Amino acid sequence: MPRPLWSGAISFGLVTIPVKLLSATEDRSVRFHQVHMEDLGRVRVRKYCEAEDREVSAGEIGKGYEVSKDTLVAVTDEELEQMPLPTAKAIEIVAFVPAASIDPVRLSGDSYFLQYDGQVAAKPYVLIAQALARNTKVAVAKLAWHGRERLVLLRVRDGALVAHVLKWDDEVRDPSELAPKETKVTDSEIDEALQLIDSMTTDDISGYQDEYRKALEAVIEAKAEGRQPPQPSTEDKEPGGKVVDLMAALQESVHKAQAARGENAGGDAEVHEMPKKPAARKPAKKTPDKKTAKKTATAKKPARRQRGA
């Protein structure tokens, strides 16, 4: 695990749980430097003071808020740390809500693990974790961190508490005007779309990988070794284009999704018998006449057993 980013306590009614905040994810993106393409010299960003027209060091740089066009107010880190906020060193749980009521658009993408801090914190930590795990609710809390107060969602993952940073209400834009107006779809099209959703439903997305990053790493590796980068595949791809028949496109998508999962169009696996080898042709027998056939049948009939024999 990485080093803790913050330490404090979860405030849960009268219960206090000392915790440490650790990043739950890592950025695996491929990073580039800015370079001068003629000689690959590094291009660096230097910080200059406009008033003195000189480069300044990191220790000389602070925070300033623009009150008006010509007025800046300096705010120091010490002043930010001394603000009278109850959430400065605490994750204060303010409510419990159904997990389904949280709009995913409010998730900022920043996720953190909460590690209990000390043996005293172990029991209350396990208590709240198991309580959350036994219902469909999540905790909503406040946390002052990195110069602002944040709203966070607390849930359980494999017995550990996870904090997801949420956007405030006024940080989420209204998307109502983005939806197409006066566009109608039929019930049959909706039913077909639902069937497509069912055919693509899965309980596990762990198998997906970042194909772009893998391809980019292959290009970098090839160039570093003096080889030509891999060329794009020349396999024929289905041509894209304007969808003319929405229903036909939905039905074809359903068939492809079912085929990818080993299903037939009806949803049940088809069973095909293996073809039998053709039997060797025998010479045709002479068809017996009716009298001969009757005699043969009579001869094959078992004799009736007499009583007392």
Side-chain angles (χ1 to χ4, degrees):
M1 282 294 176
R3 64 179 181 83
L5 305 172
W6 177 91
S7 63
I10 297 175
S11 175
F12 175 38
L14 298 179
V15 178
T16 299
I17 311 171
V19 292
K20 296 179 180 179
L21 199 72
L22 302 89
S23 179
T25 61
E26 56 182 328
D27 188 357
R28 300 294 300 277
S29 302
V30 177
R31 301 291 184 182
F32 293 101
H33 293 299
Q34 289 185 324
V35 297
H36 184 204
M37 294 302 290
E38 289 188 7
D39 51 21
L40 295 183
R42 288 284 300 275
V43 176
R44 301 184 182 274
V45 178
R46 298 183 177 180
K47 298 182 178 181
Y48 274 78
C49 172
E50 293 181 353
E52 299 183 15
D53 193 22
R54 68 177 181 86
E55 188 176 350
V56 294
S57 63
E60 299 177 88
I61 300 174
K63 296 179 177 66
Y65 183 81
E66 186 175 351
V67 179
S68 61
K69 185 177 179 180
D70 300 319
T71 305
L72 288 170
V73 174
V75 180
T76 66
D77 292 337
E78 290 76 15
E79 290 171 334
L80 294 175
E81 291 175 359
Q82 293 173 6
M83 287 192 305
L85 280 176
T87 56
K89 293 296 289 183
I91 299 175
E92 181 185 2
I93 295 178
V94 294
F96 292 89
V97 299
S101 68
I102 300 295
D103 188 348
V105 77
R106 297 190 64 172
L107 295 171
S108 69
D110 296 329
S111 300
Y112 303 92
F113 288 133
L114 290 169
Q115 180 185 40
Y116 70 92
D117 191 4
Q119 192 57 37
V120 176
K123 187 170 183 177
Y125 183 98
V126 172
L127 173 65
I128 188 174
Q130 292 189 0
L132 286 173
R134 291 190 184 185
N135 59 50
T136 58
K137 293 183 176 62
V138 293
V140 176
K142 287 183 176 183
L143 166 66
W145 187 40
H146 281 191
R148 58 178 300 188
E149 189 171 54
R150 301 165 185 261
L151 199 65
V152 297
L153 177 152
L154 300 182
R155 67 178 185 89
V156 181
R157 185 178 189 271
D158 296 333
L161 292 175
V162 187
H164 303 281
V165 179
L166 297 174
K167 297 289 187 182
W168 297 96
D169 285 339
D170 58 1
E171 293 180 318
V172 179
R173 297 188 177 98
D174 182 8
S176 58
E177 62 183 30
L178 302 179
K181 303 296 188 296
E182 299 179 358
T183 302
K184 303 294 184 182
V185 293
T186 65
D187 289 339
S188 297
E189 290 169 337
I190 296 175
D191 291 340
E192 201 68 35
L194 291 173
Q195 188 175 353
L196 176 58
I197 291 172
D198 290 339
S199 65
M200 296 178 66
T201 298
T202 180
D203 295 328
D204 184 15
I205 61 170
S206 60
Y208 297 107
Q209 299 181 3
D210 187 348
E211 301 295 339
Y212 178 85
R213 177 166 59 89
K214 290 170 60 178
L216 182 56
E217 288 172 347
V219 170
I220 294 173
E221 181 181 355
K223 298 200 71 174
E225 297 176 354
R227 297 183 286 107
Q228 286 294 324
Q231 297 300 311
S233 174
T234 57
E235 294 179 1
D236 293 335
K237 296 183 179 179
E238 294 184 5
K242 184 178 179 181
V243 176
V244 178
D245 189 339
L246 180 58
M247 179 62 77
L250 286 169
Q251 291 174 344
E252 183 179 357
S253 300
V254 170
H255 295 158
K256 287 184 176 181
Q258 290 174 337
R261 297 170 68 115
E263 303 172 0
N264 65 357
D268 297 324
E270 293 183 345
V271 179
H272 300 279
E273 292 185 359
M274 295 295 293
K276 297 180 180 180
K277 295 183 179 180
R281 180 174 292 182
K282 298 180 179 180
K285 294 182 178 181
K286 187 177 179 180
T287 306
D289 56 17
K290 294 182 179 180
K291 292 182 179 179
T292 306
K294 188 175 181 181
K295 289 180 180 179
T296 304
T298 304
K300 290 184 178 180
K301 185 176 181 181
R304 187 173 183 181
R305 193 174 182 181
Q306 296 181 356
R307 292 182 179 179

